[in-house]
């Protein structure tokens, strides 16, 4: 078995700025989820900041591990899995043995990662990106790129566990065999389209939420804590006043983050679906919605053309309150009410799903300029990344509008053959 793992681990239940226990709602109702996953209340813990590292060392036993501020046994726990086909981990030892047997990962290495994963710089590469903000000037955004070992472990969790959990059909993003077209298809030819953005989606999907996801799947408390430690880390977040704070949450670069963020919205989507049904023939007709990554798209028809903006504002306020219940906020700057030209996720959906004209024109110009420059500069001094970029844009055009793709390919066949 593993030797003593004796270091203090960051507790996810420390106060994280304005984050509190209200972040995860304690609701009496248990909505019927598409996943058949029961709602659970957040776990309660005590703050251990006064306990010194030496005292923690004395308390740790060989068969125990300190995870997310909790001393847990590697060999205790009982899971009650709700999802068929996923690994049946009753204890942390089961997880360690699975990774060693199936993927040749040493138990000590995986346990060490889980116990020390709060030390972000050991397992992730931090990148600071400056973004323009109309209110406070340049605003810092931090992304965390997992190092190879971390990335491999998270890919296993994604493939063997998370992707086997079904989600409501309205959750379109990060789903196999579904594309951006599936996110907008139900909103074509609607009178009104609302585009709502979840603010700092990954950063606000905290370790508490991730723990509840694994617990909802049916894993024991110990296993859920262990899997949470493997998929979250300490991240820097800049608030609206430009003050930098830290919290334990999903990271932008991790393979598991997209799917975990989607699972964090299951109960929200279930409740929003009930609201949309309730609003039919009262506030709206033919109402529908979809969620694509951090975008919530709501569309409807209405006979009350004069008051459609007031109706839209009422709907937005209801969604804002519901989202707050689940520990998220709407980004006011990115909230849109579309009644004329309806451009959603870069696609125009007034009469049918179509590519934006500017996208098509720019792509056409890029192909011509790229071909012209390649002839002048020669192949040896030409950047192949630009060719791959054009190839990606062509594939996107083919997905959205195959006829435009074909006409473009025919018109520039000579150019494309020389480029590719």
């Amino acid at each position: 078995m593993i030797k003593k793992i004796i270091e203090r681990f960051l507790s996810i239940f420390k106060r994280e700025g304005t984050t509190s226990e209200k972040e995860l709602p304690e609701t009496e109702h248990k909505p019927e989820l598409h996943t058949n996953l029961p709602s659970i209340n957040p776990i309660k813990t005590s703050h251990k900041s006064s306990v010194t590292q030496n005292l923690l060392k004395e308390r740790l036993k060989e068969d125990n591990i300190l995870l997310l501020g909790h001393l847990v046994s590697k060999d205790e726990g009982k899971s009650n899995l709700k999802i068929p086909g996923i690994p049946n981990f009753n204890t942390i030892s089961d997880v360690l043995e699975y990774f060693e047997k199936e993927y040749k990962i040493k138990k000590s290495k995986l346990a060490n990662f889980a116990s020390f994963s709060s030390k972000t710089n050991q397992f992730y590469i931090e990148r600071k990106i400056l973004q323009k903000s109309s209110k406070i000037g340049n605003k810092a955004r931090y992304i965390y790129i997992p190092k190879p070992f971390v990335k491999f472990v998270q890919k296993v969790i994604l493939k063997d566990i998370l992707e086997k959990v079904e989600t409501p059909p309205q959750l379109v993003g990060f789903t196999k065999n579904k594309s951006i077209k599936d996110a907008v298809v139900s909103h074509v030819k609607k009178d009104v389209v609302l585009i709502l953005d979840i603010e700092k989606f990954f950063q606000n999907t905290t370790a508490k939420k991730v723990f509840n996801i694994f617990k909802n799947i049916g894993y024991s408390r110990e296993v859920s804590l262990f899997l949470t430690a493997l998929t979250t880390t300490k991240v820097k977040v800049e608030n609206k006043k430009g003050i930098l704070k830290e919290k334990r949450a999903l990271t932008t670069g991790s393979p598991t983050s997209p799917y975990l963020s989607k699972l964090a919205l299951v109960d929200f989507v279930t409740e929003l679906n009930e609201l949309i049904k309730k609003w039919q023939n009262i506030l709206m007709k033919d109402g529908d919605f979809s969620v694509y990554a951090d975008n919530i798209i709501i569309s409807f028809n209405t006979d009350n053309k004069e008051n459609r903006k007031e109706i839209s504002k009422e709907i937005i306020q209801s969604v804002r309150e519901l989202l707050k219940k689940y520990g998220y906020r709407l980004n006011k700057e990115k909230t849109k009410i579309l009644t004329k030209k309806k451009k959603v996720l870069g696609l125009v959906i007034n009469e049918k799903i179509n590519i934006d004209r500017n996208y098509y024109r720019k792509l056409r110009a890029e192909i011509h300029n790229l071909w012209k420059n390649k002839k002048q500069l020669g192949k040896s001094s030409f950047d192949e990344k630009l060719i791959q970029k054009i190839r990606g844009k062509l594939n996107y055009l083919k997905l959205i509008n195959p006829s435009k793709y074909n006409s473009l390919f025919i018109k520039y066949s000579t150019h494309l053959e020389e480029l590719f």
Side-chain angles (χ1 to χ4, degrees), residues 11-15 21 43 45 47 68 70 208 225:
S11 173
I12 64 169
F13 303 107
K14 289 180 180 179
R15 292 195 310 174
E21 287 295 328
I43 62 175
T45 72
H47 187 51
L68 311 180
H70 297 262
K208 290 181 184 180
L225 281 169

Side-chain angles (χ1 to χ4, degrees), residues 66-291:
L66 189 64
L67 290 173
L68 311 180
H70 297 262
L71 189 66
V72 298
S73 170
K74 297 194 299 295
D75 296 304
E76 290 183 8
K78 181 66 177 176
S79 296
N80 183 22
L81 298 182
K82 310 292 193 302
I83 313 298
I86 64 174
N88 185 19
F89 303 141
N90 286 308
T91 65
I92 293 173
S93 290
D94 291 341
V95 183
L96 298 173
E97 288 171 11
Y98 179 84
F99 272 85
E100 185 174 70
K101 181 181 178 181
E102 299 295 330
Y103 298 101
K104 312 301 180 187
I105 294 177
K106 290 183 179 179
K107 296 177 182 178
S108 57
K109 189 174 183 180
L110 187 62
N112 183 64
F113 166 41
S115 296
F116 288 84
S117 63
S118 62
K119 297 186 176 182
T120 302
N121 61 352
Q122 290 187 12
F123 301 100
Y124 296 84
I125 301 169
E126 183 184 281
R127 291 281 185 266
K128 181 180 179 180
I129 301 172
L130 291 178
Q131 296 176 314
K132 289 184 179 180
S133 174
S134 58
K135 293 184 179 180
I136 61 172
N138 288 336
K139 190 175 181 180
R141 175 173 171 258
Y142 294 86
I143 63 171
Y144 298 86
I145 304 166
K147 293 182 179 181
F149 171 74
V150 177
K151 194 171 186 178
F152 180 80
V153 169
Q154 291 175 346
K155 281 186 174 180
V156 170
I157 295 171
L158 175 65
K159 178 178 68 73
D160 292 2
I161 300 175
L162 300 177
E163 288 185 340
K164 295 180 180 179
V165 181
E166 293 184 4
T167 56
Q170 294 90 350
L171 279 167
V172 180
F174 316 125
T175 304
K176 284 185 177 180
N177 302 319
K178 286 194 175 183
S179 69
I180 197 170
K181 288 179 73 174
D182 296 292
V184 302
V185 66
S186 62
H187 308 297
V188 176
K189 292 185 178 181
K190 294 293 181 67
D191 293 336
V192 182
V193 178
L194 309 179
I195 303 176
L196 314 176
D197 180 86
I198 303 174
E199 189 173 71
K200 297 176 182 176
F201 187 29
F202 280 6
Q203 296 164 345
N204 287 322
T205 305
T206 60
K208 290 181 184 180
K209 293 184 176 73
V210 174
F211 169 82
N212 276 347
I213 288 168
F214 288 117
K215 203 74 173 67
N216 283 346
I217 289 172
Y219 284 120
S220 67
R221 174 178 172 274
E222 288 74 18
V223 170
S224 297
L225 281 169
F226 192 79
L227 293 173
T228 300
L230 297 178
T231 53
T232 62
T233 194
K234 187 168 59 175
V235 300
K236 295 175 182 176
V237 183
E238 197 173 85
N239 65 15
K240 292 181 178 180
K241 295 181 180 179
I243 300 172
L244 197 64
K245 297 189 176 183
E246 291 184 336
K247 62 166 70 175
R248 190 177 181 93
L250 297 181
T251 65
T252 304
S254 294
T256 47
S257 291
Y259 213 93
L260 282 169
S261 67
K262 182 170 80 166
L263 292 176
L265 291 179
V266 167
D267 281 3
F268 163 77
V269 166
T270 302
E271 283 205 57
L272 181 56
N273 189 44
E274 292 303 313
L275 275 178
I276 296 289
K277 290 178 181 177
K278 183 179 177 181
W279 291 334
Q280 299 287 1
N281 300 319
I282 300 174
L283 290 177
M284 60 172 68
K285 291 183 178 180
D286 308 313
D288 214 332
F289 79 101
S290 59
V291 179

